[in-house]
Amino acid sequence: METVMTQAIKITKVTQSRVSEVNLENITMGTNFTDHMFICDYENGEWHNPRIEPLALIPTHPAAMALHYGQAIFEGMKATLGKDGRPLLFRPDENAKRLNFSADRMGMPLFPEDLFVEALKKFTALEKNWIPTSTGSALYLRPFMYADEAFIGMRAATSFKFIVMASPAGPFFSRKIKLYAEKKYVRAVNGGTGEAKAAGNYAAAIRPTEYAKAKGYDQVLWLDAQDFEYIQEVGTMNIFFKIDGKFITPDLTGSILSGITRMSVIEFLRSKDFEVIERPITISEIIEASKNGTLEEAFGTGTAVGIAMIEEIGNNDLLIQFPEENPISVMVNDALNAIKLQNEEDTFGWIVEAK
């Protein structure tokens, strides 16, 4: 998608950074935010006035349509520092494409993909000092778009804001996780918004996730809406199973988010001559593989979590435990982290320098 505008990104810097007030080596994602934000406005059918300015509150009319009709989407990305201290982005072009996929599904305007990447590069370069250096840490980037037109009525909005903000983050999970196989609530159905990274998808998942955590689980394993049999994805992750030497992950059937980490793991595993199969997979199949000894590993993939090893899947009448050793999962995790930190050659062309 070509940029429909030629304006340069205007940059207004803070007079004094707050980074010295934050301990970047011990921080939880989403609790502290960097000095600046990128903003671009959509009005009269076009995007205009791209700018980076000090992080601040945004005036919002009570009738802003996002608040009433849910036209809001977002992306999740991470920035790291390379061996020479340069800030790096991981496959930002893929996030740009996915944002526009979500925008199209939600009746929102597409954002110029080259402007998306350029904005992320300039923004991340400016916030370089906020990027943590400890193992497993990164600067979490949150691009998002929402309808800010003041109007009460059921139609697509005509004005929007696209914003990028950031929060330094430590490792999401430092241990294996437990998943609750949900058989009452559903995340998505074919034809719904499950493929889009829409804010409402996550709102609907909050209560079931709270129930799962109250039972001692970390996240929800979502199943299909008809039979509660076909595995879809986990709360903030796609999911992979290693069964009899082969990796299996649910295919993108219309109710599953196309994860950037998922895509990258598939490419990486295939480059190492592992067979990766994208197809429907049932919870019954996982139970059977567990019983006959062919269930070898399982892990989740996502920007926030990276590679999350899975210890067990259960609910009130189900318990699937996974082997203690996760040699391939660990190898994948270490390799992706090494690429992101330039400790291993990026033969895939995934890394983009922010400058």
Side-chain angles (χ1 to χ4, degrees):
M1 179 182 176
E2 296 297 323
T3 299
V4 295
M5 55 187 297
T6 57
Q7 301 160 274
I9 298 173
K10 179 182 178 182
I11 299 177
T12 304
K13 298 181 182 180
V14 296
T15 55
Q16 180 68 45
S17 174
R18 294 175 292 100
V19 69
S20 61
E21 302 171 11
V22 179
N23 178 7
L24 296 179
E25 304 309 310
N26 182 25
I27 195 165
T28 301
M29 186 182 83
T31 57
N32 288 271
F33 300 94
T34 63
D35 295 314
H36 301 89
M37 58 184 178
F38 171 85
I39 306 181
C40 195
D41 304 304
Y42 183 86
E43 294 173 319
N44 301 318
E46 65 178 22
W47 291 100
H48 68 96
N49 193 19
R51 60 206 185 271
I52 295 174
E53 58 190 38
L55 183 74
L57 299 180
I58 302 170
T60 302
H61 194 284
M65 292 181 72
L67 301 178
H68 300 270
Y69 305 106
Q71 276 190 298
I73 58 175
F74 67 92
E75 279 296 312
M77 311 170 64
K78 280 185 176 178
T80 52
L81 291 176
K83 294 178 69 174
D84 59 359
R86 289 183 294 182
L88 307 172
L89 298 170
F90 185 77
R91 309 190 76 173
D93 55 318
E94 295 296 338
N95 289 95
K97 293 175 187 175
R98 190 172 66 180
L99 178 95
N100 278 338
F101 181 91
S102 299
D104 183 67
R105 175 61 185 86
M106 302 302 291
M108 304 168 74
L110 305 188
F111 192 79
E113 292 175 9
D114 51 354
L115 177 59
F116 179 101
V117 174
E118 185 64 19
L120 265 293
K121 289 166 68 174
K122 281 188 163 49
F123 175 79
T124 304
L126 185 61
E127 306 291 56
K128 171 185 173 181
N129 292 338
W130 286 87
I131 302 176
T133 58
S134 55
T135 303
S137 298
L139 181 62
Y140 183 83
L141 305 168
R142 173 52 64 90
F144 64 102
M145 185 198 302
Y146 68 97
D148 67 344
E149 179 186 0
F151 177 76
I152 299 297
M154 184 57 187
R155 62 158 171 79
T158 61
S159 66
F160 296 83
K161 273 190 169 52
F162 174 81
I163 299 176
V164 180
M165 59 190 298
S167 172
F172 202 88
F173 289 119
S174 57
R175 53 173 176 75
K176 291 185 180 181
I177 63 172
K178 298 180 180 181
L179 306 181
Y180 183 80
E182 179 58 65
K183 292 203 169 184
K184 176 181 179 182
Y185 300 100
V186 299
R187 175 189 173 273
V189 297
N190 289 352
T193 61
E195 284 185 311
K197 203 164 177 64
N201 292 346
Y202 297 83
I206 289 173
R207 180 62 73 191
T209 302
E210 289 182 337
Y211 289 151
K213 289 183 176 179
K215 296 175 184 291
Y217 294 88
D218 297 290
Q219 290 199 1
V220 171
L221 176 68
W222 297 106
L223 305 174
D224 74 279
Q226 284 72 42
D227 305 309
F228 292 97
E229 179 66 16
Y230 288 93
I231 293 170
Q232 293 186 338
E233 59 181 78
V234 181
T236 57
M237 303 178 282
N238 296 112
I239 191 167
F240 287 76
F241 300 95
K242 185 168 180 275
I243 300 175
D244 198 20
K246 301 174 183 178
F247 284 91
I248 303 171
T249 189
D251 54 342
L252 304 177
T253 57
S255 57
I256 297 172
L257 189 71
S258 178
I260 311 302
T261 307
R262 174 189 184 276
M263 179 192 311
S264 305
V265 167
I266 290 173
E267 292 179 33
F268 177 80
L269 286 171
R270 287 175 176 165
S271 76
K272 298 298 182 182
D273 296 324
F274 286 101
E275 184 174 356
V276 183
I277 304 167
E278 298 176 74
R279 65 163 173 82
I281 183 168
T282 66
I283 192 72
S284 296
E285 184 177 348
I286 302 303
I287 293 170
E288 179 59 29
S290 178
K291 289 179 179 178
N292 65 29
T294 58
L295 183 60
E296 299 167 355
E297 297 184 48
F299 59 88
T301 63
T303 295
V305 302
I307 306 296
M309 317 301 174
I310 297 171
E311 178 180 344
E312 70 176 54
I313 296 173
N315 59 26
N316 296 332
D317 52 13
L318 169 70
L319 179 61
I320 304 172
Q321 292 184 312
F322 293 85
E324 289 188 14
E325 299 300 319
N326 303 267
I328 308 304
S329 307
V330 171
M331 183 266 288
V332 171
N333 184 58
D334 291 347
L336 288 183
N337 284 336
I339 290 172
K340 292 175 182 178
L341 297 172
Q342 292 184 320
N343 292 327
E344 185 173 308
E345 183 182 0
D346 174 24
T347 58
F348 301 93
W350 289 340
I351 298 300
V352 174
E353 183 180 345
K355 58 182 178 180

